[in-house]
Amino acid sequence: MKQKITVLGSTGSIGTNTLDVVARHPDQYEIFALSASTQVDLMLKQCAQFKPRFAVMASPAHAQQLADQLKQNGLAVQVLDAPDALETIASHPEVDAVMGAIVGAAGLAPCLAAAKAGKRLLLANKEALVVGGALFMDTVKRHGATLLPIDSEHSAIFQCLPEDSSTWGERVDCLLLTASGGPFRQRDPATLSEITPEQACTHPNFSMGRKISVDSATMMNKALEVIEARWLFDMAPEKIKVVIHPQQIVHSMVQFKDSSVLAQLGTPDMRVPIACGLAWPERIASGAPLLDFAKLAALTFEEADAKRFPGLHLSWQALRAPEGTTTVLNAANEIAVAAFLDRRLSFDRIHAVNLQTLESVQPGPVASLEDLMALDARAREQAQAIAAQWAR
Ligand code: NAD
Ligand code: MG
């Protein structure tokens, strides 16, 4: 039996890489549904290639455009644009696995819907877990869903940890998340204010979406990943460490009580963790080139510079603060990054917006998706106001 897959965010960097892996194994996987925000042309191509039952667009106008073009091309794909359409395709009874590859908090509701329906959930959308926190993990457990990390660091840690998660607490000394350090690892901190969106979106090893590219450049991506690791592996924040490794060959490591360290290595290609998540515990070809050890230059490691990357430490700070603080941090960062990409905020002030929003928004109860979305909205409003004060 083929596994039926829903890809949330199919037109993005992770979405297209997922379809690349799926296309290599037509005997094992078929696409049940695809979703995108506004990219009608790419969605049309994906529909022609994968013939899903459903395609979801974020607005009625884009849904109408897609429906018209599908009709012109004689393709029988049902287009949905209802507010809960993402939840529908994430929880549909016929779906086996859901790839969560939407960027930002917008992906939380459909990921929770997949979890509630007990699906196999492949999670790239780290913001969903940073916003959802304990509620997200409780939902996964309560409904018997299988959560498989796609973020390369978390996929690495997942592969290095013992199978029996009840042993992690006693056996593991710490998780070592590796970080590339992004394009400004060696840049003079005094010149950070001059960085343009184009410079920030040019990552040394990967082509990624614009939001995560900026997050990699500020290292807020690693801050979000520390929070992601805390929830995925139920690890105390002080047992999660970050080390810079510019070559991105070692994707992360687990250090055990006896000082032994296990690492997962591979070429920096997101199809590796995607293939791992799709097939786990089996292994399938990902299409990524093999690591050629004869050609590898040195693998180097260094400490992250807190002056250059002040945002990194907000993760531990937010994890020690009342629940919901990570939701506030994520919302602030989404607003600050959007303002930077819009050229309304300078690069070095992304951190100022994050810090001030954390200081001025007190999280209330976070017992439901509605609570979380209300807190997210409140934090966004506050972050907008702060970003406007810091505007160029
Ligand atoms: P991207 O910007 O390339 O793609 C985002 C996708 O989500 C697109 O299909 C877009 O249409 C859709 N989308 C955006 N906003 C939406 C909204 N409001 N409602 C519905 N759909 C929406 O992003 P990406 O680089 O593929 O990253 C996706 C997620 O995976 C992010 O959470 C990112 O942190 C994570 N991730 C990405 C990489 C990578 O290499 N790109 C690596 C690890 C983790
Ligand atoms: Mg990552």
Side-chain angles (χ1 to χ4, degrees):
M1 273 282 280
K2 286 191 205 179
Q3 272 197 54
K4 290 191 179 160
I5 306 206
T6 284
V7 183
L8 303 169
S10 65
T11 54
S13 159
I14 295 291
T16 50
N17 275 304
T18 301
L19 293 179
D20 181 285
V21 178
V22 165
R24 290 165 196 276
H25 305 279
D27 50 327
Q28 291 185 59
Y29 306 103
E30 69 181 62
I31 296 297
F32 180 79
L34 298 172
S35 99
S37 166
T38 57
Q39 303 90 323
V40 173
D41 293 348
L42 181 52
M43 179 57 99
L44 180 68
K45 277 192 198 137
Q46 293 182 341
C47 285
Q49 185 180 355
F50 293 96
K51 313 228 163 30
R53 173 108 54 99
F54 296 107
V56 175
M57 300 302 292
S59 78
H62 291 104
Q64 190 57 53
Q65 273 180 39
L66 178 67
D68 292 346
Q69 294 196 27
L70 285 166
K71 207 170 164 196
Q72 280 169 25
N73 287 274
L75 291 165
V77 180
Q78 212 175 315
V79 183
L80 307 176
D81 67 352
D84 58 357
L86 291 176
E87 281 110 295
T88 304
I89 59 169
S91 61
H92 194 285
E94 285 184 39
V95 169
D96 299 298
V98 175
M99 165 60 80
I102 287 175
V103 57
L108 176 60
C111 283
L112 278 181
K116 269 194 194 141
K119 302 296 184 199
R120 184 176 169 100
L121 175 56
L122 316 183
L123 188 70
N125 183 193
K126 65 192 84 187
E127 296 93 344
L129 197 44
V130 170
V131 174
L135 179 86
F136 194 116
M137 296 309 292
D138 288 349
T139 309
V140 167
K141 266 187 218 127
R142 198 143 27 94
H143 297 276
T146 306
L147 184 57
L148 292 158
I150 299 300
D151 215 347
S152 56
E153 296 76 2
H154 305 75
S155 172
I157 289 168
F158 175 74
Q159 293 176 68
C160 293
L161 281 168
E163 214 169 299
D164 179 359
S165 61
S166 70
T167 66
W168 295 350
E170 70 205 34
R171 292 188 191 170
V172 174
D173 179 51
C174 70
L175 306 180
L176 290 158
L177 289 173
T178 52
S180 71
F184 310 130
R185 181 172 59 90
Q186 290 168 322
R187 187 166 171 132
D188 175 1
T191 67
L192 292 180
S193 63
E194 297 155 20
I195 290 167
T196 64
E198 292 70 29
Q199 289 167 334
C201 289
T202 311
H203 191 272
N205 304 333
F206 270 135
S207 159
M208 310 184 289
R210 280 161 70 78
K211 196 260 175 181
I212 188 177
S213 296
V214 177
D215 285 345
S216 298
T218 57
M219 278 194 84
M220 273 307 293
N221 182 50
K222 214 47 56 178
L224 298 176
E225 290 184 359
V226 167
I227 299 167
E228 186 185 10
R230 183 264 171 273
W231 292 115
L232 275 175
F233 307 116
D234 192 19
M235 214 41 77
E238 57 275 13
K239 291 176 89 171
I240 306 170
K241 298 183 177 158
V242 170
V243 58
I244 289 192
H245 168 50
Q247 299 82 13
Q248 287 190 287
I249 298 296
V250 175
H251 296 300
S252 276
M253 302 175 268
V254 177
Q255 183 168 300
F256 291 88
K257 287 277 161 70
D258 54 9
S259 304
S260 170
V261 179
L262 293 190
Q264 184 262 341
L265 282 70
T267 36
D269 185 322
M270 285 307 293
R271 290 175 298 177
V272 178
I274 289 168
C276 179
L278 273 171
W280 188 264
E282 302 303 323
R283 297 282 184 168
I284 54 170
S286 64
L290 285 175
L291 202 53
D292 184 346
F293 284 91
K295 287 198 184 126
L296 264 190
L299 299 182
T300 62
F301 300 88
E302 62 195 68
E303 210 176 329
D305 176 357
K307 252 210 209 111
R308 203 173 270 121
F309 301 115
L312 178 58
H313 292 275
L314 294 181
S315 53
W316 289 283
Q317 196 178 313
L319 283 172
R320 289 191 190 104
E323 225 190 311
T325 305
T326 59
T327 306
V328 175
L329 175 60
N330 178 72
N333 187 55
E334 286 195 35
I335 293 296
V337 170
F340 166 68
L341 286 171
D342 245 14
R343 300 175 206 277
R344 286 182 278 117
L345 189 74
S346 68
F347 181 83
D348 57 321
R349 289 180 177 169
I350 294 173
H351 177 63
V353 171
N354 291 345
L355 194 61
Q356 284 188 18
T357 307
L358 277 178
E359 282 164 359
S360 57
V361 177
Q362 300 307 316
V366 285
S368 66
L369 176 61
E370 291 69 32
D371 289 347
L372 287 167
M373 291 333 293
L375 176 58
D376 173 77
R378 193 151 59 85
R380 276 170 199 266
E381 204 175 307
Q382 184 67 22
Q384 285 290 15
I386 294 169
Q389 281 166 17
W390 282 107
R392 306 166 174 274

